[in-house]
């Protein structure tokens, strides 16, 4: 009998975490959705190769990160094209309570990827220093240093 969890249960269990992580990397909701969809597509094709079903979340996050980096490399080939203009939507009164959260997310998006990524994994996904180090393939001291620098930069952005 196959011990692998059903695909739908994997999606249900990990979609929100993957989307948060993808959004912290991609900075745009549409790109984050694309990354998550591609990650689950890869899992549907290759998930049977996962040796330890208990590590499915880490496998998905690592796959998502690889896809993000691949899209960044592909985008570099088209760097000559002008960026598309995004229109800013008017803030509705019922959204005013979310402004602080939006300000924090916008500040997070201003950070370079090397700081934004460990910060998102630590605070949004509750990863340990060790898990982040394994995920990013860097020493644990580097993770701690990047988190410290990221928090300092975030403070400076939010409190000019």
């Amino acid at each position: 009998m196959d011990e692998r969890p059903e695909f739908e249960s994997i999606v249900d269990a990990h979609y929100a975490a993957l989307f948060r992580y993808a959004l912290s990397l991609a900075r745009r909701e549409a790109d984050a959705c694309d990354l998550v969809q591609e990650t689950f597509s890869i899992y549907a094709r290759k998930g049977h190769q996962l040796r330890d079903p208990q590590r499915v979340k880490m496998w998905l996050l690592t796959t998502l990160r690889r896809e993000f980096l691949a899209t960044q490399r592909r985008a570099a080939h088209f760097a000559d094209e002008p960026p598309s203009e995004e229109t800013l939507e008017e803030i509705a009164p019922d959204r005013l309570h979310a402004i602080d959260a939006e300000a924090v997310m916008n500040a997070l998006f201003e950070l370079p990827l090397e700081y934004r990524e460990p910060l998102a994994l630590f605070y949004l996904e509750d990863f340990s220093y060790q898990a982040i180090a394994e995920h990013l393939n860097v020493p644990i001291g580097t993770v701690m240093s990047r988190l410290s620098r990221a928090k300092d930069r975030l403070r400076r952005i939010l409190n000019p």
Side-chain angles (χ1 to χ4, degrees), residues 13-116:
H14 301 292
Y15 183 87
L18 284 175
F19 180 77
R20 282 190 306 267
Y21 183 51
L23 187 60
S24 74
L25 295 175
R27 302 180 186 179
R28 291 186 54 227
E29 190 173 332
D31 293 340
C33 288
D34 291 344
L35 282 169
V36 172
Q37 182 177 3
E38 183 60 25
T39 300
F40 282 123
S41 174
I42 292 169
Y43 180 77
R45 292 189 315 270
K46 298 182 180 182
H48 66 280
Q49 298 172 353
L50 183 62
R51 293 183 184 150
D52 183 1
Q54 301 300 319
R55 296 188 47 91
V56 69
K57 182 177 182 181
M58 182 64 84
W59 190 94
L60 290 167
L61 289 167
T62 301
T63 300
L64 189 143
R65 180 173 188 261
R66 286 184 185 141
E67 282 304 303
F68 169 73
L69 294 174
T71 59
Q72 293 296 101
R73 284 190 299 273
R74 284 190 296 270
H77 293 294
F78 300 104
D80 295 339
E81 294 180 14
S84 62
E85 298 270 336
E86 291 185 32
T87 59
L88 297 175
E89 60 186 65
E90 190 174 322
I91 298 176
D94 62 333
R95 290 192 56 219
L96 287 177
H97 69 280
I99 287 179
D100 289 336
E102 286 181 34
V104 171
M105 287 304 289
N106 289 336
L108 180 66
F109 293 156
E110 288 184 36
L111 295 176
L113 181 63
E114 70 180 309
Y115 298 130
R116 188 172 68 243

